[in-house]
Amino acid sequence: MSNDIRRTLGTSKMVSQISTPPNSINDVDTVIVGAGFAGMYMLYRLRNLGLTVQILEAGDGVGGTWYWNRYPGARCDTESMFYSYQFSNDLQQEWEWTERYPRQPEILKYANHVADRFDLRRDIIFGTRVISAKWHEKKQIWYIKTSTPNHISAQFCIMATGCLSSPNIPDISGLNEFEGDIFHTGLWPDQHVNFANKSVAILGTGSSGIQVIPEIAKDAKRLYVFQRTANYVVPAHNRPLNSKEVSYIKANYSKIRAKAKQTYSGNIFETGGPSALAVSNEERSREYEERWQMGGLCFMAAYEDLQVSPEANETAAKFIRNKIKEAVNDINVAELLSPKNLFGCKRLCVASGYYETFNRKNVNLIDVSEKSIDCITPNGVSVDSKEFKVDTIVLATGFDAMTGALKKIDITGIGNIKLKEKWQDGPRTYLGLTTTGFPNFFTITGPGSPSVLTNMIPSVEQHVEWVSECVRFMMSRGLKKIVASSSAENGWMEHANDLAEKSLRSTCLSWYLGSNVPGKPRIFMPYIGGVPIYVEKCENVVANGYFGFEMS
Ligand code: NA7
C-alpha cells in the first residue's frame, strides 16, 4: 500500500503517528509479535513459566483484528459466549456479554479487560512494528528490529500476527488520485465517519462488505455496491442475550466447551446427518429451514457431505438462492445477488438485513464480475466506461490472508534463508506451528493449522498451550533449540494437501487459497481435517517425544 493511500485511508493508527516508546529494550527470553488474543494469552502462559517476555504491537492498543476492524456493523460471526477465552474460569464467569454475536466495540472492551485483569500491559510495547527477525545460529538467538530505535533479542520468537491482518488494497489504477475519502474496512479510523448526504462506493461483498453495507445504506444519500462475486449470506438473527441462557451456559461452560472441541469446527453445532442426499426433499428443506431460522454458521454443519459432494452442495445453494428471491423485490437484482459458485467454498457470510438492503431506493448493485472496474477517477468509479460519481470509497476488499503479515516482516532463519523465499510457492509448515529452517520460531494459528475454519479463540488457546508446554519441556531438560525436520514438514504438507484436495473448498477462488491477491501462489492454506483430528496429531507429536522436531 502506498503512503498516499495510507494517508488517504485516514486511520489515526499509522506507525508514523505513534509516539516512540522511551526506553531501549535489550534481551528477553521470548519476543511475541502482536497483542491480539493469541499474543496476550501467549504472554500470560510464558510469564507463568517464569520467562521474560516482550510483546511488540504495531497498534496503540490490544485486540489485534478487533482493534483495526472498526467499521460500522463489524461483528463476530461466532457466538459471544464461545468467542472468548476458557483458560480462566473466573474470567469467563465474570465477563458479561450482551448480545448473541458480539459487536467489535464489545470484543475490544473484552480484550482490554483481559489485558488489565492479568496485568499484561507492562510487557507490551505499543506503536512498534516489527521490521525484521533474524536467527543468529552461533548465539542461538533471534534479533528483532523494529520501526523504532529499540531492538530486541530473544531465545524464542513467536508470531501472533493474526490470519486476517494484512489488508488487501486492490491494484486499481487511479486509486491514489481519487479526491474524496478512501477507507479500508480493516484499517478503519477510530473517529466516527459521516456518510450522511454522501454518495458512497463500496468494493467487496465478503464478510466485511455484507456487514458494512446495511449500515452505510442507512446514512448515505446513495450507495453503489460493486460486486465481483456474489456470496452466500445467512441471517445472524442477532439478539440480546437473556440472563437465563447466560446462567445456563456459565453453569455448564466446561461441559459445553469440551463438547465443542469434539466437533469439526470447534463450535457447538450439531450436524443434521451424514448426507443431504440420503433424506427426502421435505426432510432436507425442514433441516435447512430450521438452521436458517436459528441463524449463523450452523448452516454449514447441516450435512457432512456439503463440502464433498457437488450434488449435496447444490441442495444448500438452491435453498439460499430461493431465500434471496424471497427477500429481494427486483428479480434482476435478486439474480445478480444469487451466488453461482459452490455453497461454503468461500467463507459463508453471516449478516442482518443484507439482502433486504438492496430493496432500498438509495442502493444500487453494480455487477463487476465480467467487466471489472476500469479505474478510479478523481470523482468516482468507472466501469465499462461509465463513471459512478462518489464522495467516498470504502474498500471491503479483504486481506492477504494467513501469510501476508508474516511475509511483510523480513524473517531470516538458518543459513540466511528468508521466510519469504522459502514460501514463494506457498507456505510450508509443520502442524501450522513451525517451519523448517527457523529454530525457536512459532506461528500461532499459522498456515497449515485449522485456524480460520474453526472458532478462532479456542484454536488460539490450543496453539498457545502447545507452544508453552513445548517451551516448558525444553526448559526442564536444559534444551536451547527446537526446529522442525524437513521430513516432518514434508509429511505434514502432503497430509494437509491430500485432505484439501478431497474437499470442494479447495476448488473455487477464495482467500483460503490465496487467489484474492494477484500473484499469490494458490495453495489451500488452513488445515481442513477439523479440530479433533488436528488436536490429536499435535498431542501425538508430544507423546512421541516431539516427533518430527530436532532439539538440542
Ligand atoms: P473477503 O472475504 O476476501 O472479501 C473481499 C471482497 O472484495 C470480495 O467480495 C472480493 O471479490 C472483493 N474484491 C477484492 N478485490 C476486488 C476488486 N479489485 N474489485 C472488486 N471487488 C474486489 O474479505 P472480508 O474482509 O470481507 O472478509 C475476510 C474474512 O474476515 C472473512 O472471511 C471472515 O473470516 C472475517 P471476489 O470474491 O474476490 O471476487
Side-chain angles (χ1 to χ4, degrees):
M1 180 172 59
S2 74
N3 282 336
D4 280 0
I5 296 179
R6 223 181 238 296
R7 258 195 306 278
T8 319
L9 287 173
T11 163
S12 61
K13 302 298 174 204
M14 292 296 107
V15 171
S16 58
Q17 294 167 285
I18 295 167
S19 59
T20 306
N23 300 317
S24 204
I25 317 140
N26 34 49
D27 191 32
V28 289
D29 295 321
T30 305
V31 72
I32 299 170
V33 187
F37 284 105
M40 286 200 293
Y41 184 37
M42 196 75 250
L43 164 60
Y44 172 81
R45 292 289 293 208
L46 294 180
R47 196 194 262 172
N48 284 351
L49 289 180
L51 270 69
T52 51
V53 190
Q54 187 70 71
I55 294 192
L56 301 170
E57 164 59 53
D60 68 357
V62 297
T65 289
W66 301 105
Y67 172 90
W68 299 101
N69 283 266
R70 298 164 186 250
Y71 60 85
R75 195 183 282 280
C76 186
D77 58 10
T78 297
E79 299 198 25
S80 54
M81 294 296 290
F82 302 101
Y83 191 79
S84 48
Y85 289 122
Q86 55 195 297
F87 71 84
S88 159
N89 192 43
D90 288 347
L91 170 66
Q92 67 179 359
Q93 292 298 330
E94 77 201 11
W95 182 259
E96 299 292 345
W97 293 106
T98 63
E99 292 178 274
R100 180 179 176 192
Y101 295 98
R103 284 172 62 233
Q104 176 271 336
E106 193 167 16
I107 305 174
L108 197 56
K109 201 167 150 200
Y110 173 71
N112 277 287
H113 170 74
V114 171
D116 293 334
R117 192 189 191 288
F118 297 102
D119 187 22
L120 301 179
R121 289 180 207 278
R122 67 183 152 93
D123 288 328
I124 306 175
I125 308 225
F126 295 106
T128 300
R129 190 173 284 278
V130 172
I131 306 297
S132 68
K134 190 172 191 317
W135 173 252
H136 195 299
E137 179 66 13
K138 213 158 152 200
K139 294 189 178 163
Q140 310 251 302
I141 230 157
W142 281 96
Y143 282 110
I144 317 290
K145 284 195 177 167
T146 73
S147 55
T148 73
N150 301 315
H151 304 319
I152 188 163
S153 63
Q155 185 188 354
F156 295 99
C157 177
I158 301 179
M159 306 307 284
T161 41
C163 295
L164 297 158
S165 48
S166 177
N168 176 32
I169 308 292
D171 186 17
I172 304 176
S173 72
L175 202 55
N176 265 327
E177 281 75 50
F178 181 64
E179 285 174 0
D181 292 326
I182 306 182
F183 301 96
H184 188 287
T185 46
L187 282 174
W188 204 264
D190 60 358
Q191 304 87 354
H192 172 71
V193 178
N194 188 8
F195 292 105
N197 295 318
K198 298 260 169 73
S199 289
V200 182
I202 177 154
L203 278 57
T205 50
S207 296
S208 307
I210 58 99
Q211 288 188 336
V212 79
I213 286 165
E215 295 302 314
I216 298 179
K218 285 181 204 159
D219 294 338
K221 183 171 70 185
R222 168 95 12 227
L223 176 62
Y224 297 107
V225 177
F226 293 84
Q227 176 188 270
R228 190 163 69 179
T229 310
N231 266 320
Y232 294 92
V233 182
V234 294
H237 295 314
N238 187 43
R239 55 175 174 73
L241 287 168
N242 67 58
S243 55
K244 220 167 134 194
E245 67 189 314
V246 170
S247 305
Y248 175 81
I249 293 171
K250 286 192 172 177
N252 293 281
Y253 244 140
S254 56
K255 236 173 22 199
I256 303 172
R257 300 273 208 184
K259 200 171 161 204
K261 284 182 183 167
Q262 297 312 314
T263 68
Y264 175 86
S265 67
N267 279 301
I268 41 168
F269 314 141
E270 306 270 349
T271 145
S275 174
L277 305 175
V279 294
S280 67
N281 292 346
E282 292 72 32
E283 189 179 334
R284 194 170 51 234
S285 298
R286 200 167 46 243
E287 183 70 35
Y288 287 150
E289 186 61 37
E290 266 176 30
R291 284 172 192 264
W292 186 267
Q293 295 309 332
M294 223 181 292
L297 291 173
C298 71
F299 201 95
M300 279 294 282
Y303 294 103
E304 286 163 25
D305 61 350
L306 292 182
Q307 296 311 317
V308 184
S309 153
E311 294 77 25
N313 188 288
E314 178 57 20
T315 63
K318 211 164 153 188
F319 179 88
I320 298 183
R321 288 190 206 116
N322 281 336
K323 288 288 184 191
I324 299 170
K325 275 192 204 125
E326 284 170 23
V328 179
N329 300 338
D330 183 318
I331 190 163
N332 296 319
V333 176
E335 181 56 28
L336 270 183
L337 287 168
S338 294
K340 313 292 178 284
N341 51 357
L342 290 162
F343 161 76
C345 201
K346 282 176 185 285
R347 187 177 170 100
L348 180 63
C349 299
V350 181
S352 299
Y354 175 67
Y355 291 123
E356 292 77 4
T357 297
F358 293 89
N359 295 332
R360 297 179 68 108
K361 288 199 166 50
N362 65 334
V363 177
N364 297 78
L365 182 64
I366 317 296
D367 177 23
V368 291
S369 60
E370 280 167 20
K371 295 215 159 95
S372 55
I373 294 168
D374 309 325
C375 63
I376 305 293
T377 67
N379 301 311
V381 180
S382 168
V383 179
D384 201 14
S385 305
K386 181 174 175 204
E387 188 188 46
F388 297 87
K389 284 197 188 317
V390 292
D391 306 298
T392 308
I393 294 177
V394 173
L395 302 172
T397 45
F399 301 89
D400 181 355
M402 305 204 74
T403 54
L406 291 166
K407 286 170 110 179
K408 268 187 188 165
I409 302 171
D410 181 17
I411 303 168
T412 312
I414 296 175
N416 278 331
I417 180 179
K418 301 269 182 196
L419 190 72
K420 273 192 257 279
E421 286 162 15
K422 181 183 168 186
W423 286 8
Q424 66 188 355
D425 296 327
R428 296 189 65 76
T429 67
Y430 181 36
L431 302 169
L433 275 161
T434 58
T435 185
T436 308
F438 296 79
N440 296 1
F441 179 86
F442 297 99
T443 48
I444 306 299
T445 62
S449 75
S451 57
V452 290
L453 300 179
T454 67
N455 181 354
M456 276 305 274
I457 296 195
S459 284
V460 155
E461 285 186 314
Q462 186 258 337
H463 262 196
V464 165
E465 285 160 16
W466 193 97
V467 172
S468 53
E469 179 50 29
C470 173
V471 170
R472 193 201 57 75
F473 176 88
M474 290 175 70
M475 285 166 62
S476 70
R477 283 164 177 75
L479 297 162
K480 294 277 182 240
K481 178 179 162 191
I482 178 170
V483 64
S485 72
S486 307
S487 57
E489 182 173 286
N490 291 342
W492 184 252
M493 293 309 299
E494 205 175 306
H495 165 65
N497 291 337
D498 279 354
L499 288 179
E501 273 171 26
K502 291 192 184 102
S503 169
L504 295 176
R505 272 181 154 164
S506 64
T507 63
C508 69
L509 304 180
S510 72
W511 58 259
Y512 295 136
L513 203 66
S515 63
N516 63 327
V517 176
K520 190 166 173 174
R522 293 194 182 172
I523 171 170
F524 195 84
M525 291 179 286
Y527 177 78
I528 207 167
V531 170
I533 295 176
Y534 176 76
V535 172
E536 193 187 330
K537 288 192 182 290
C538 289
E539 285 172 359
N540 282 344
V541 165
V542 177
N544 289 299
Y546 287 89
F547 176 79
F549 287 100
E550 289 153 13
M551 291 191 181
S552 54

